[in-house]
Amino acid sequence: MNILDIIEKKKNGFPLNQIETDYFVDGYSKGTIPDYQMSALLMAIWFKGMDEFETSNLTLAMVKSGKIIDLSGIHGIKVDKHSSGGVADTVSIPLIALVVANGVPVAKMSGRGLGHTGGTIDKLESIPGFRVEMPEEEFIEIVNRVGGAIISQSEELVIADKKMYALRDVTGTIDSIPLIASSIMSKKIASGNDAIVLDVKVGNGAFMKNLEEAINLAKIMVSIGNYFRKETVAYITDMNQPLGDSVGNSLEIEESINVLKGKGSQRLLEVIKNLGAEMLKLGKKVQTVDEGKIIIEEGIFNGKGLQKFKEIVEAQGGNSAIADDFSLLPQSKFKLPILAKSTGFLSFFDTTGLGKLATFLGAGREMKDDKIDLSVGFTFNKKIGDKIFSKEQIGEIHTNDLSKGNMALEKFKMLYSSGTEQVKSPPLFYAKVSKEGIEILS
Ligand code: URA
C-alpha cells in the first residue's frame, strides 16, 4: 500500500476502506508519512468528505493510535458529556456536580481552551490546589468514593488526533465534518465511558455556523457513538451569543458556583438542566428527560449539587472554601465598567469576537503553549432582546493591565449591536439527535 494511491483515491471522490484508513493514521502517528502528504490527504477529505462508514473507520483507527482507558473498575453506568466549544459555555462543572449528586458516576477527561473557546481544565486550575493530573488508579478511586472527578485528558490518549489536529490547524482543514466528528468521538471512545451526551453548538461563536451543518455533525457523531455501543445523544444549542454571563477562568468558576446556588444566568441554567436530565436518563436514574429536569432543579435548590461540587474539589486537592468566598479565587487588579453605548434593544453579538477578546485579555491562548492569566476576562449580563440604556453599566472588564483593559473596552463596543426595534431572543435548543432520529425543538 502506498500513501500516494490513498491521496489519489480520495481526491477522485472514492471511499477509503478500513485497511487504507488504518495505514495512513498509523503511518502519520509513527512519523512514516510526512506532513506534506498528510496535508494533501486532509485537504482531499475536506473537499470530498467521508461517508458514515469511512468516518467510523477513521475514528477507530484514531482510537487505536493511543491508550484506551479502562473504567471498568467504576461501578454503575458512566456517562460522559462533551461540548463542541463555545463562549461563556460554563456548563460542565455545575452539570457534573448535579449529575453526580443524583447518583450517576462521571469520570470526565477534559481539554484546555484553544482559540476563542474556553476549556474546563483551565477553569478548574483557577481553584487553589486543584489537581487536574493524577494517576489513573487515583482518578478511579475518587469516582468510586465521591461519584465524580474531572481530570486533564491523558497525553497518551488518541496520539493521532494531537498530530492531525495541529496539522489541520495550519492547513485550513479544521472545519470538515468527518474530521471534527472523528477527532471528538475518538477521544470520547478512548476515554472509556458507557454513554455520551453531546452539546453541538451552532451560531456565530461555534465551529458550525448553520443548523444543517450542525445536524449533520450531530448525526454522524451519534451514529459513531452507537456503532461503538455507547449510547449517544446530541443536543444542538445556540451559540449566537455568550451562553452564561462570564468569560474567563476564575470568573467562570464563580458563575458555576452561582448556578449551584440558584443564581446563574437563565439560558445557562436551561442547558445544564436539559443535558443533566439526559445524563440521568442514560445513567438509568430516570425514565424521562422531564423527570430528570425536576431532579436536577431540586439538586440546585436543596444544595446537593453545591455540596457535591465541594466534595469533588476537596477530593482533587482544591480549596472548597472558594464556594463561600470568591476572594480566594485569582482576582484581577482592575475592574473596568462596560457602559452601554446607546439606548435600545440588544440585537447582535459577534460571539467569536468576544471569545477572542478574552484571549486578548490573557484568559485564553493563541498558541498551545501560551501561558494564561486565570484572573482576567469579562462579565456581561445582558442577552439579545434585552433593553439597555445609554451609559448603563452592562458588564465589567477584569484585567491586570490597565492599557489592555481600556483597549478591551473600546473593542467590546464593536462586538455587539443594539437598535430601536424589539428583537426576539434566539432559541436555545434547535434539535435533539439520538438513535431514534432527529427531533426539531424550535
Ligand atoms: N474539538 C475537537 O476535539 N476536535 C475538532 O476537530 C474540533 C473540535
Side-chain angles (χ1 to χ4, degrees):
M1 192 163 316
N2 105 39
I3 184 67
L4 197 52
D5 292 342
I6 297 175
I7 297 170
E8 290 284 352
K9 190 171 173 187
K10 187 40 71 187
K11 184 183 82 178
N12 291 314
F14 294 105
L16 302 179
N17 63 35
Q18 189 176 349
I19 297 167
E20 290 157 339
T21 307
D22 283 347
Y23 176 83
F24 80 75
V25 172
D26 188 53
Y28 188 60
S29 308
K30 294 191 172 136
T32 54
I33 293 173
D35 282 354
Y36 55 86
Q37 285 180 314
M38 192 62 182
S39 305
L41 180 57
L42 289 171
M43 192 54 88
I45 294 172
W46 192 95
F47 274 107
K48 298 293 177 182
M50 279 183 148
D51 64 27
E52 260 182 49
F53 187 62
E54 283 180 282
T55 313
S56 297
N57 281 339
L58 175 57
T59 307
L60 179 59
M62 289 170 74
V63 169
K64 288 190 293 195
S65 73
K67 183 172 173 179
I68 299 172
I69 309 289
D70 177 7
L71 296 182
S72 60
I74 299 173
H75 325 298
I77 303 171
K78 281 87 60 190
V79 186
D80 200 359
K81 174 261 171 185
H82 182 84
S83 160
S84 64
V87 178
D89 187 19
T90 316
V91 173
S92 287
I93 297 165
L95 170 82
I96 289 168
L98 288 160
V99 168
V100 170
N102 284 296
V104 172
V106 180
K108 181 148 173 58
M109 293 196 164
S110 288
R112 297 186 181 277
L114 190 62
H116 74 281
T117 66
T120 302
I121 292 301
D122 294 327
K123 296 173 200 177
L124 286 170
E125 277 189 337
S126 61
I127 302 175
F130 195 98
R131 288 184 300 125
V132 295
E133 267 156 35
M134 62 181 71
E136 216 172 293
E137 305 77 57
E138 187 182 357
F139 175 52
I140 291 174
E141 184 277 318
I142 293 177
V143 180
N144 274 331
R145 178 163 48 89
V146 181
I150 312 171
I151 58 168
S152 180
Q153 200 169 277
S154 157
E155 282 293 311
E156 296 158 71
L157 209 75
V158 196
I159 309 271
D161 183 59
K162 284 181 194 69
K163 284 192 82 177
M164 282 168 67
Y165 194 92
L167 190 61
R168 284 166 59 206
D169 207 18
V170 293
T171 54
T173 50
I174 288 281
D175 56 340
S176 148
I177 288 178
L179 295 178
I180 295 176
S182 53
S183 163
I184 292 177
M185 291 309 287
S186 58
K187 288 173 284 197
K188 295 288 108 187
I189 308 293
S191 53
N193 283 283
D194 304 312
I196 306 159
V197 174
L198 299 169
D199 183 4
V200 178
K201 305 285 183 192
V202 63
N204 67 21
F207 280 113
M208 298 292 113
K209 306 292 180 215
N210 68 59
L211 187 56
E212 195 188 336
E213 283 178 354
I215 290 184
N216 284 339
L217 177 63
K219 262 172 46 188
I220 180 83
M221 290 200 290
V222 167
S223 116
I224 294 171
N226 291 324
Y227 173 84
F228 284 93
R229 298 187 200 290
K230 296 181 189 288
E231 189 170 352
T232 304
V233 175
Y235 278 84
I236 295 168
T237 66
D238 185 65
M239 194 35 73
N240 283 301
Q241 57 182 330
L243 180 60
D245 294 344
S246 304
V247 185
N249 297 294
S250 63
L251 291 171
E252 290 189 56
I253 291 293
E254 285 187 24
E255 184 156 26
S256 299
I257 295 164
N258 280 333
V259 168
L260 293 170
K261 292 180 175 172
K263 294 191 269 189
S265 119
Q266 199 50 38
R267 285 172 77 85
L268 174 61
L269 185 62
E270 282 305 312
V271 172
I272 291 170
K273 270 184 359 197
N274 271 267
L275 300 187
E278 199 65 57
M279 288 174 82
L280 294 183
K281 184 164 174 260
L282 290 175
K284 307 261 185 285
K285 289 287 166 192
V286 295
Q287 303 281 325
T288 66
V289 172
D290 285 341
E291 201 188 322
K293 280 203 249 182
I294 296 170
I295 292 180
I296 293 286
E297 213 158 16
E298 277 171 7
I300 295 175
F301 294 112
N302 62 21
K304 268 169 68 179
L306 185 63
Q307 178 55 32
K308 192 50 78 180
F309 167 78
K310 290 182 184 174
E311 285 172 30
I312 295 173
V313 168
E314 272 167 33
Q316 295 195 227
N319 180 3
S320 66
I322 51 129
D324 303 307
D325 182 358
F326 291 158
S327 73
L328 297 172
L329 287 166
Q331 300 288 323
S332 67
K333 263 197 256 158
F334 307 106
K335 296 178 176 57
L336 312 179
I338 301 171
L339 304 180
K341 52 191 178 188
S342 54
T343 297
F345 295 97
L346 259 169
S347 55
F348 169 81
F349 284 102
D350 173 350
T351 316
T352 296
L354 288 170
K356 287 185 178 161
L357 185 69
T359 303
F360 169 77
L361 284 163
R365 30 182 103 63
E366 265 149 30
M367 309 290 274
K368 203 169 135 283
D369 296 321
D370 286 352
K371 204 166 157 25
I372 58 170
D373 183 342
L374 297 167
S375 68
V376 301
F378 58 88
T379 57
F380 188 78
N381 59 10
K382 300 285 177 184
K383 298 280 180 254
I384 293 175
D386 285 353
K387 177 105 197 219
I388 51 174
F389 296 93
S390 179
K391 304 268 176 350
E392 173 195 1
Q393 182 170 344
I394 50 179
E396 205 164 44
I397 301 277
H398 291 236
T399 182
N400 288 311
D401 175 335
L402 211 45
S403 79
K404 248 189 184 180
N406 283 319
M407 279 162 78
L409 281 176
E410 284 310 304
K411 283 175 187 264
F412 199 99
K413 288 187 192 153
M414 319 296 289
L415 297 171
Y416 75 93
S417 316
S418 58
T420 50
E421 293 210 353
Q422 172 83 66
V423 183
K424 261 182 68 185
S425 171
L428 186 50
F429 297 98
Y430 293 97
K432 174 178 167 179
V433 181
S434 66
K435 62 179 190 300
E436 276 86 41
I438 302 169
E439 191 184 334
I440 300 296
L441 302 173
S442 69

